[in-house]
Amino acid sequence: MKKKFAALLIASMALAVTAVGGAVSASAEEIVSAKDTLTIALDGDPGTLKYDNDMDVAIEVRKLFLEGLLLNDGSEYEYQLADSIEEDEDGMGLTVHLKEGVMFSTGEELKASDVVWSMQVGRDYYEPLYSFVDFDNLEAQDDYTVRVPFNTETYLWRSLFCGYNSVGIYSQKAYEEAEANGTDFWTKPVSTGPFSIVEWNSGEDIQLKANEYYHEGTPYIANVIVRIITESSVQLMELQTGGIDVMGGNGTTLENAQADENINIYEIDGTSIHYIGINHRSEIFQDLRVRQALAYLVDRQTIIEGALNGVGNVHNSMFSPSGLGYSDLEWPYETNVEKAQELFDEAGVDPSQLTLRMIVNDASSRPAVAEQLNNMFGALGITLQITTYDSATTTDKLMNAPDEFDMYLRSLGGGEGEVLGLYFSDNVIGLMNIDEGGCADEFAKWQGILEDAMANPDMEARKAAYQEADQMVLDNVFWIPEYVVPVYKYTTTSLKGVVQKGSYLYYHEAYFE
């Protein structure tokens, strides 16, 4: 028995994002783009567009030409190349029905065999991520039907078909022709998206053209050029003088971009959740009151202002804002030094005699965040010993030397959609040693809630369970969530019809006024 995949489907006509400066609507028959070329700046060359390259620059380019079976719009899903997906009632597989008449940019029709091949060609990469899939028995049942069997019961399969490391659908025929000709398919991959790659000048630019066979209609803009410009200040100058039309923003360019009335700014929810990690093997953290007292000393908005130049949003959830299960939880530990002292007193701890060892990597803003925490903990005389390592050494210390630290700074890639599997990975340091500490019993309950949710076919029931587990993280101070950093995109105000889906901008309906 099967049941129809019942996730919310957004209207088939994508909605334009309202950005700073607004957007102008126009009917399709009235639209003629004033410019035929869209120029996008990236800060690095992707090197390859192969499915296993998860660099941001590679993902940005793939979004121009590549499509999958589903499209993620934050915590919701819509069909992209799939027409429908039937989920086995026992959670042991899927039957995917493809949209008919969808063409690759070569003019060849998408078939079920292309879907099976796309999953098989990247099996070495996909299988560790999606171990529930029975890759040996994938089957094209006919030209438009794909059978995806599972090795184990699961209802958390949607990220397999959408997201930055999901299965994109490529043309098997185009790949085999490239192989026969001795050319690298992954420099000019063929898919069904709105644009296709024409030329790649390594280190300089990637040139694309509109896909005349695109199943949602040929784009209004005929050409796309992706320019490689490493310096954000140079990108901004190019945007202001007309050399580019789109760029990624950051804290160093945001103020100048905000001051320019000819620039639209898109603020996109970040998906990496930054947090203060607690080593639950440390004797001092066996008492919940001590963990709560430290949470009361942390002023997260001050950290954002002082260490991040004001670019960030305080965050209370273990899920990213675009993740399924995210809820706007009330923060129970508003900064209160007196309350912190009261909790230390109840626990029989003199904070002025307390020394905590924190390790951080030298990347980005983490050393500055650690210094902010040193000042905050110092309000009660706590000494924070900060040791900085490179990223590789920090990870090694966290995984293999738990006796050398009490706290650390880290981020968790919360991702979009339903990504609960992250919390059961051996590499998720945010959960390290919790099962051995003073909150081990509560942590076991937390794990049980999530494990039960993973086996529940009812998505709404899973959401409720996620929210219950989310609250437990705060109540028990498993770790201290800090902030998420939004992603910024700047565009010229003459560019209209840009569509935002989840963390990305799409240009298949874009045009210039």
Side-chain angles (χ1 to χ4, degrees):
M1 295 292 292
K2 301 182 177 70
K3 59 186 175 182
K4 206 68 168 276
F5 167 38
L8 176 64
L9 298 183
I10 302 168
S12 59
M13 290 299 292
L15 302 178
V17 174
T18 300
V20 177
V24 178
S25 61
S27 64
E29 38 297 350
E30 294 173 344
I31 294 176
V32 176
S33 183
K35 281 173 55 178
D36 66 0
T37 300
L38 169 69
T39 304
I40 301 170
L42 294 180
D43 61 7
D45 190 301
T48 179
L49 294 171
K50 198 174 180 180
Y51 46 80
D52 60 355
N53 185 351
D54 59 4
M55 295 170 57
D56 288 342
V57 290
I59 296 167
E60 290 285 352
V61 176
R62 283 201 293 262
K63 292 296 180 183
L64 295 169
F65 69 84
L66 181 64
E67 292 185 313
L69 298 179
L70 296 176
L71 184 63
N72 181 278
D73 188 13
S75 61
E76 299 173 345
Y77 302 86
E78 62 178 283
Y79 295 129
Q80 192 166 48
L81 296 179
D83 186 59
S84 64
I85 299 178
E86 296 172 2
E87 186 178 59
D88 292 3
E89 288 192 352
D90 61 3
M92 291 299 294
L94 307 168
T95 301
V96 180
H97 302 281
L98 298 178
K99 293 177 180 177
E100 298 185 21
V102 174
M103 301 292 182
F104 289 108
S105 58
T106 54
E108 301 284 341
E109 188 178 9
L110 165 70
K111 297 293 179 66
S113 56
D114 294 295
V115 176
V116 172
W117 176 84
S118 295
M119 296 182 72
Q120 291 285 11
V121 75
R123 179 173 178 170
D124 288 348
Y125 176 68
Y126 297 131
E127 194 163 26
L129 296 169
Y130 307 108
S131 58
F132 58 85
V133 175
D134 180 2
F135 283 87
D136 289 331
N137 291 298
L138 295 168
E139 180 187 2
Q141 295 182 327
D142 58 41
D143 281 350
Y144 305 106
T145 307
V146 180
R147 176 64 186 162
V148 183
F150 296 162
N151 294 311
T152 186
E153 177 186 5
T154 186
Y155 303 95
L156 275 64
W157 50 265
R158 290 161 184 81
S159 60
L160 171 67
F161 297 135
C162 61
Y164 75 91
N165 57 5
S166 62
V167 176
I169 307 304
Y170 301 92
S171 167
Q172 180 179 2
K173 180 179 179 181
Y175 176 87
E176 292 172 348
E177 288 177 349
E179 287 280 288
N181 294 330
T183 58
D184 183 1
F185 175 79
W186 302 110
T187 61
K188 293 183 181 178
V190 175
S191 187
T192 58
F195 302 96
S196 62
I197 296 177
V198 176
E199 186 175 347
W200 188 340
N201 299 303
S202 181
E204 296 182 12
D205 63 40
I206 301 172
Q207 300 174 24
L208 303 94
K209 67 177 182 179
N211 176 9
E212 63 181 301
Y213 303 105
Y214 187 48
H215 58 101
E216 292 190 21
T218 304
Y220 305 121
I221 294 174
N223 307 291
V224 176
I225 298 176
V226 178
R227 289 181 57 191
I228 312 305
I229 304 174
T230 57
E231 297 294 330
S232 59
S233 59
V234 176
Q235 289 187 19
L236 182 59
M237 181 183 68
E238 290 275 1
L239 181 62
Q240 292 172 322
T241 57
I244 63 173
D245 306 298
V246 180
M247 64 172 283
N250 55 39
T252 62
T253 57
L254 183 59
E255 185 175 352
N256 287 334
Q258 289 172 330
D260 193 325
E261 63 181 11
N262 294 314
I263 295 177
N264 281 344
I265 301 174
Y266 294 81
E267 180 175 337
I268 301 169
D269 288 332
T271 57
S272 291
I273 303 161
H274 296 259
Y275 63 91
I276 302 168
I278 293 172
N279 184 352
H280 289 264
R281 286 187 183 177
S282 295
E283 183 177 353
I284 190 62
F285 291 132
Q286 303 309 300
D287 194 315
L288 171 60
R289 293 168 295 188
V290 173
R291 302 194 302 271
Q292 290 174 327
L294 289 177
Y296 274 115
L297 290 175
V298 177
D299 186 337
R300 299 177 300 166
Q301 189 58 47
T302 294
I303 289 174
I304 291 170
E305 296 297 331
L308 307 177
N309 297 317
V311 180
N313 300 313
V314 294
H315 190 77
N316 304 333
S317 175
M318 68 180 187
F319 298 101
S320 70
S322 54
L324 187 72
Y326 170 78
S327 57
D328 189 14
L329 299 174
E330 182 178 353
W331 180 242
Y333 307 108
E334 290 301 329
T335 309
N336 188 327
V337 177
E338 291 76 18
K339 180 64 175 177
Q341 180 65 65
E342 179 184 322
L343 286 165
F344 278 124
D345 290 343
E346 290 178 9
V349 174
D350 180 356
S352 67
Q353 301 301 307
L354 184 59
T355 297
L356 298 173
R357 302 160 299 164
M358 172 173 278
I359 61 173
V360 300
N361 66 37
D362 56 7
S364 188
S365 57
R366 285 187 181 137
V369 172
E371 289 300 332
Q372 292 276 341
L373 291 171
N374 184 40
N375 294 336
M376 293 168 187
F377 292 172
L380 290 182
I382 299 170
T383 299
L384 187 65
Q385 293 181 346
I386 303 167
T387 305
T388 303
Y389 300 102
D390 60 59
S391 294
T393 303
T394 303
T395 299
D396 181 66
K397 293 284 185 183
L398 291 172
M399 298 297 291
N400 301 311
D403 295 332
E404 295 184 17
F405 64 93
D406 304 299
M407 306 183 77
Y408 57 96
L409 297 177
R410 203 75 174 176
S411 63
L412 179 67
E416 298 176 338
E418 195 165 10
V419 290
L420 188 62
L422 286 169
Y423 291 94
F424 291 91
S425 165
D426 292 337
N427 296 321
V428 177
I429 298 171
L431 306 187
M432 186 184 61
N433 301 329
I434 299 178
D435 58 344
E436 302 179 27
C439 56
D441 290 344
E442 290 302 308
F443 182 65
K445 293 177 185 177
W446 180 85
Q447 284 188 306
I449 291 170
L450 294 182
E451 288 170 350
D452 289 346
M454 292 173 71
N456 193 326
D458 185 335
M459 184 180 288
E460 290 304 315
R462 293 201 300 274
K463 286 182 182 179
Y466 299 159
Q467 291 168 7
E468 180 183 358
D470 220 0
Q471 187 64 51
M472 288 187 68
V473 173
L474 301 186
D475 293 344
N476 294 281
V477 197
F478 292 162
W479 60 84
I480 302 174
E482 291 184 287
Y483 55 84
V484 293
V485 178
V487 176
Y488 293 99
K489 294 289 185 182
Y490 309 155
T491 73
T492 177
T493 53
S494 63
L495 181 64
K496 308 297 181 182
V498 177
V499 174
Q500 181 185 345
K501 297 288 186 184
S503 298
Y504 299 98
L505 300 184
Y506 296 83
Y507 307 99
H508 59 287
E509 295 184 0
Y511 61 96
F512 289 97
E513 268 193 340

